[in-house]
mmCIF file of all heavy atoms in Angstrom:
data_model
loop_
_atom_site.group_PDB
_atom_site.id
_atom_site.type_symbol
_atom_site.label_atom_id
_atom_site.label_comp_id
_atom_site.label_asym_id
_atom_site.label_seq_id
_atom_site.Cartn_x
_atom_site.Cartn_y
_atom_site.Cartn_z
ATOM 1 N N GLN A 202 -13.476 -7.970 -0.073
ATOM 2 C CA GLN A 202 -12.123 -7.669 0.381
ATOM 3 C C GLN A 202 -12.110 -7.428 1.888
ATOM 4 O O GLN A 202 -13.148 -7.281 2.517
ATOM 5 C CB GLN A 202 -11.590 -6.429 -0.349
ATOM 6 C CG GLN A 202 -11.516 -6.612 -1.849
ATOM 7 C CD GLN A 202 -11.112 -5.340 -2.576
ATOM 8 O OE1 GLN A 202 -10.787 -4.325 -1.971
ATOM 9 N NE2 GLN A 202 -11.162 -5.386 -3.902
ATOM 10 N N THR A 203 -10.915 -7.366 2.456
ATOM 11 C CA THR A 203 -10.771 -7.043 3.869
ATOM 12 C C THR A 203 -11.386 -5.680 4.131
ATOM 13 O O THR A 203 -11.165 -4.739 3.358
ATOM 14 C CB THR A 203 -9.277 -7.047 4.262
ATOM 15 O OG1 THR A 203 -8.739 -8.336 3.982
ATOM 16 C CG2 THR A 203 -9.088 -6.719 5.720
ATOM 17 N N ASP A 204 -12.122 -5.562 5.220
ATOM 18 C CA ASP A 204 -12.807 -4.300 5.502
ATOM 19 C C ASP A 204 -11.813 -3.200 5.884
ATOM 20 O O ASP A 204 -10.684 -3.463 6.283
ATOM 21 C CB ASP A 204 -13.862 -4.490 6.603
ATOM 22 C CG ASP A 204 -13.235 -4.870 7.920
ATOM 23 O OD1 ASP A 204 -12.873 -3.957 8.685
ATOM 24 O OD2 ASP A 204 -13.090 -6.082 8.193
ATOM 25 N N ARG A 205 -12.271 -1.983 5.762
ATOM 26 C CA ARG A 205 -11.423 -0.805 5.972
ATOM 27 C C ARG A 205 -10.834 -0.769 7.381
ATOM 28 O O ARG A 205 -9.652 -0.465 7.557
ATOM 29 C CB ARG A 205 -12.232 0.465 5.705
ATOM 30 C CG ARG A 205 -11.404 1.729 5.819
ATOM 31 C CD ARG A 205 -12.210 2.959 5.463
ATOM 32 N NE ARG A 205 -11.363 4.138 5.476
ATOM 33 C CZ ARG A 205 -11.726 5.297 5.978
ATOM 34 N NH1 ARG A 205 -12.930 5.458 6.485
ATOM 35 N NH2 ARG A 205 -10.892 6.327 5.959
ATOM 36 N N ALA A 206 -11.625 -1.066 8.395
ATOM 37 C CA ALA A 206 -11.129 -1.022 9.776
ATOM 38 C C ALA A 206 -9.972 -2.002 9.968
ATOM 39 O O ALA A 206 -8.966 -1.669 10.618
ATOM 40 C CB ALA A 206 -12.258 -1.313 10.753
ATOM 41 N N THR A 207 -10.073 -3.177 9.398
ATOM 42 C CA THR A 207 -9.006 -4.176 9.511
ATOM 43 C C THR A 207 -7.761 -3.717 8.765
ATOM 44 O O THR A 207 -6.637 -3.872 9.257
ATOM 45 C CB THR A 207 -9.487 -5.538 8.987
ATOM 46 O OG1 THR A 207 -10.652 -5.929 9.732
ATOM 47 C CG2 THR A 207 -8.419 -6.601 9.120
ATOM 48 N N ARG A 208 -7.948 -3.151 7.571
ATOM 49 C CA ARG A 208 -6.798 -2.634 6.810
ATOM 50 C C ARG A 208 -6.098 -1.529 7.592
ATOM 51 O O ARG A 208 -4.867 -1.495 7.679
ATOM 52 C CB ARG A 208 -7.240 -2.108 5.443
ATOM 53 C CG ARG A 208 -7.629 -3.187 4.453
ATOM 54 C CD ARG A 208 -7.768 -2.643 3.026
ATOM 55 N NE ARG A 208 -8.534 -1.414 2.930
ATOM 56 C CZ ARG A 208 -9.849 -1.340 2.724
ATOM 57 N NH1 ARG A 208 -10.558 -2.447 2.597
ATOM 58 N NH2 ARG A 208 -10.453 -0.182 2.628
ATOM 59 N N ARG A 209 -6.876 -0.624 8.171
ATOM 60 C CA ARG A 209 -6.291 0.488 8.932
ATOM 61 C C ARG A 209 -5.550 -0.029 10.164
ATOM 62 O O ARG A 209 -4.483 0.472 10.507
ATOM 63 C CB ARG A 209 -7.356 1.506 9.309
ATOM 64 C CG ARG A 209 -7.889 2.295 8.105
ATOM 65 C CD ARG A 209 -8.958 3.310 8.497
ATOM 66 N NE ARG A 209 -8.417 4.362 9.334
ATOM 67 C CZ ARG A 209 -7.831 5.481 8.895
ATOM 68 N NH1 ARG A 209 -7.729 5.705 7.600
ATOM 69 N NH2 ARG A 209 -7.371 6.384 9.741
ATOM 70 N N ALA A 210 -6.111 -1.037 10.818
ATOM 71 C CA ALA A 210 -5.462 -1.597 12.005
ATOM 72 C C ALA A 210 -4.152 -2.302 11.651
ATOM 73 O O ALA A 210 -3.202 -2.292 12.441
ATOM 74 C CB ALA A 210 -6.413 -2.565 12.704
ATOM 75 N N ALA A 211 -4.079 -2.897 10.471
ATOM 76 C CA ALA A 211 -2.873 -3.615 10.046
ATOM 77 C C ALA A 211 -1.785 -2.673 9.531
ATOM 78 O O ALA A 211 -0.614 -3.055 9.486
ATOM 79 C CB ALA A 211 -3.220 -4.621 8.957
ATOM 80 N N ALA A 212 -2.162 -1.470 9.160
ATOM 81 C CA ALA A 212 -1.213 -0.533 8.543
ATOM 82 C C ALA A 212 -0.262 0.075 9.568
ATOM 83 O O ALA A 212 -0.655 0.410 10.680
ATOM 84 C CB ALA A 212 -1.973 0.578 7.834
ATOM 85 N N ASP A 213 0.982 0.204 9.145
ATOM 86 C CA ASP A 213 1.959 0.933 9.950
ATOM 87 C C ASP A 213 1.883 2.421 9.633
ATOM 88 O O ASP A 213 2.153 3.262 10.483
ATOM 89 C CB ASP A 213 3.375 0.420 9.647
ATOM 90 C CG ASP A 213 3.526 -1.042 10.002
ATOM 91 O OD1 ASP A 213 3.411 -1.377 11.193
ATOM 92 O OD2 ASP A 213 3.739 -1.861 9.077
#
Side-chain angles (χ1 to χ4, degrees):
Q202 299 175 5
T203 301
D204 64 88
R205 183 176 185 222
T207 302
R208 288 192 313 269
R209 290 180 66 86
D213 298 296

